[in-house]
Amino acid sequence: MAKIRNIELGAFPLLLAPMEDVSDPPFRAVCKANGADLMYTEFISSEGLIRDAAKSRQKLDIFEYERPIGIQLFGSEIEHMRMSAEIATQVNPDLIDINYGCPVKNVACKGAGAALLQDIPKMVKMTEAVIKSTHLPVTVKTRLGWDDDTKNVPEVAERLQDIGIAALTIHGRTRVQMYKGVADWTLIGEIKRNPRINIPIFGNGDIDSPEKAMAYRTQYNVDGVMIGRASIGYPWIFREIKHYMATGEKLVPPTIAERVDVCKQHLEFSIRWKGPKTGIFEMRRHYTNYFKGIEHFKPFRMRLVEAGSYEETLEILDEIAEQYLQMC
């Protein structure tokens, strides 16, 4: 049984990765319904919370059915991270997560995210400040290191455990790699086998099938896996992995009708949470993924992207379900 302090997550939990402009409440809702065991908000700027920026504040929205849910914070200033953790604690999540892994320029080049992998003493001080600012469990997500010459995550794991983090998620790439190449889980496995490490270690990177989740569980002995890009437009990956691990058999992929149904649920929640205009606009990024691999779908995708109302979008989705009735 994997546990983060007193939060029980099951024998081999599947975590939904925090993804900017993706893992908002509407997306989390469909992932939770399909078996995600632990989810995180989109990463939230500590400076944005302190300034009371509307976008940052909105990202604090969590719902009871999402539990257990973590709020992920990032920033470059220790005091700002401490203050933002206090603010986040007030909305009563189950845990606080610190992002030491984001590789994008507007985060890492400002001294936040993966940039802290270049300054381990500051990372330790920042983490300690966050831990002292909240009664909640504090977890960390990071990468192997800044580049191939500085894969310092084994040191990071020991030092952060020593000051009190409750779990560690490791993405099997360096910051320089961004999301290119193949994730290397070798160090993740070594950290899990380290007799000094007693907190849960979750692996992240390239988990895109039930077979791979099972193989990585066996080979690297991690306590669970975090799934990111493979879940976009395909929340069924959580239920497929769970079924495969329980039975050794693969589930039949969702039919077009199922894809349409979940897409509708996502759309409805998006409108309810963001309002009609923003809700419809921001769903446009998801249609390609929901219907990926379907032949001759481009005309429908163009119509979905151009649809300006909820009713029009529903009509198109119903037409898709009807036309592809017999397809999977």
Side-chain angles (χ1 to χ4, degrees):
M1 176 71 70
K3 294 178 66 175
I4 297 178
R5 199 180 291 177
N6 63 340
I7 304 170
E8 295 188 356
L9 299 174
F12 189 74
L14 306 180
L15 287 61
L16 173 64
M19 295 176 283
E20 177 71 356
D21 293 328
V22 176
S23 51
D24 57 12
F27 179 74
R28 298 198 302 263
V30 296
C31 290
K32 184 70 174 182
N34 280 279
D37 295 300
L38 173 62
M39 305 188 296
Y40 298 85
T41 62
E42 301 172 75
F43 65 19
I44 303 173
S45 163
S46 57
E47 283 74 15
L49 281 186
I50 293 167
R51 294 196 315 269
D52 204 27
K55 185 175 182 180
S56 295
R57 283 283 179 172
Q58 188 184 35
K59 290 179 181 179
L60 290 176
D61 285 358
I62 56 175
F63 300 85
E64 282 302 310
Y65 67 81
E66 298 186 286
R67 296 189 184 279
I69 178 104
I71 289 176
Q72 192 187 72
L73 304 172
F74 76 96
S76 60
E77 300 296 329
I78 293 173
E79 178 63 11
H80 289 177
M81 285 292 286
R82 184 195 66 77
M83 294 169 64
S84 67
E86 289 182 346
I87 295 168
T89 300
Q90 293 171 12
V91 304
N92 195 31
D94 296 284
L95 58 88
I96 301 292
D97 190 72
I98 306 175
N99 183 314
Y100 292 137
C102 181
V104 299
K105 287 184 178 180
N106 64 354
V107 174
C109 292
K110 293 181 179 178
L116 274 300
L117 285 164
Q118 298 180 104
D119 191 345
I120 305 305
K122 181 178 179 180
M123 178 192 287
V124 171
K125 290 179 182 178
M126 182 178 286
T127 306
E128 194 167 28
V130 170
I131 290 171
K132 289 179 178 178
S133 73
T134 181
H135 67 280
L136 297 169
V138 174
T139 62
V140 164
K141 182 172 189 283
T142 190
R143 288 183 168 234
L144 302 180
W146 181 259
D147 56 28
D148 285 342
D149 297 323
T150 56
K151 291 183 177 179
N152 49 15
V153 71
E155 176 190 355
V156 167
E158 290 192 4
R159 294 185 65 175
L160 295 189
Q161 176 185 265
D162 289 348
I163 61 170
I165 67 166
L168 177 65
T169 301
I170 305 167
H171 183 104
R173 291 181 174 87
T174 64
R175 187 271 167 177
V176 170
Q177 280 183 274
M178 301 292 285
Y179 296 99
K180 298 176 182 177
V182 178
D184 179 6
W185 283 53
T186 306
L187 276 181
I188 302 174
E190 289 180 10
I191 290 167
K192 179 58 190 172
R193 290 190 296 272
N194 181 348
R196 280 206 63 224
I197 298 295
N198 53 48
I199 58 173
I201 300 296
F202 302 117
N204 175 226
D206 295 350
I207 298 294
D208 55 9
S209 70
E211 296 92 333
K212 190 174 287 186
M214 176 69 90
Y216 282 26
R217 176 187 187 180
T218 302
Q219 184 173 355
Y220 302 106
N221 198 33
V222 289
D223 295 285
V225 294
M226 177 177 280
I227 300 166
R229 288 175 292 169
S231 67
I232 301 175
Y234 202 83
W236 301 277
I237 191 167
F238 297 100
R239 75 176 188 186
E240 289 180 358
I241 291 173
K242 287 188 170 182
H243 183 82
Y244 186 78
M245 287 188 169
T247 68
E249 300 175 352
K250 293 192 68 175
L251 279 176
V252 176
T255 63
I256 301 302
E258 287 178 289
R259 292 172 184 255
V260 167
D261 185 55
V262 172
C263 188
K264 283 182 179 180
Q265 294 173 32
H266 193 165
L267 172 66
E268 288 164 4
F269 200 139
S270 184
I271 291 172
R272 203 160 62 238
W273 186 59
K274 303 173 183 177
K277 184 176 180 180
T278 304
I280 290 170
F281 177 79
E282 294 194 354
M283 267 300 292
R284 293 173 179 174
R285 66 170 67 102
H286 292 283
Y287 295 130
T288 297
N289 292 298
Y290 268 116
F291 302 103
K292 188 176 181 180
I294 299 175
E295 293 182 357
H296 312 301
F297 190 77
K298 185 176 179 179
F300 281 116
R301 180 177 62 81
M302 297 303 296
R303 288 173 59 194
L304 285 169
V305 169
E306 293 169 359
S309 71
Y310 174 60
E311 293 75 18
E312 183 183 359
T313 306
L314 285 187
E315 287 179 5
I316 299 168
L317 289 170
D318 287 339
E319 190 178 336
I320 292 167
E322 180 67 25
Q323 177 156 328
Y324 293 92
L325 187 61
Q326 303 303 320
M327 292 183 60
C328 292

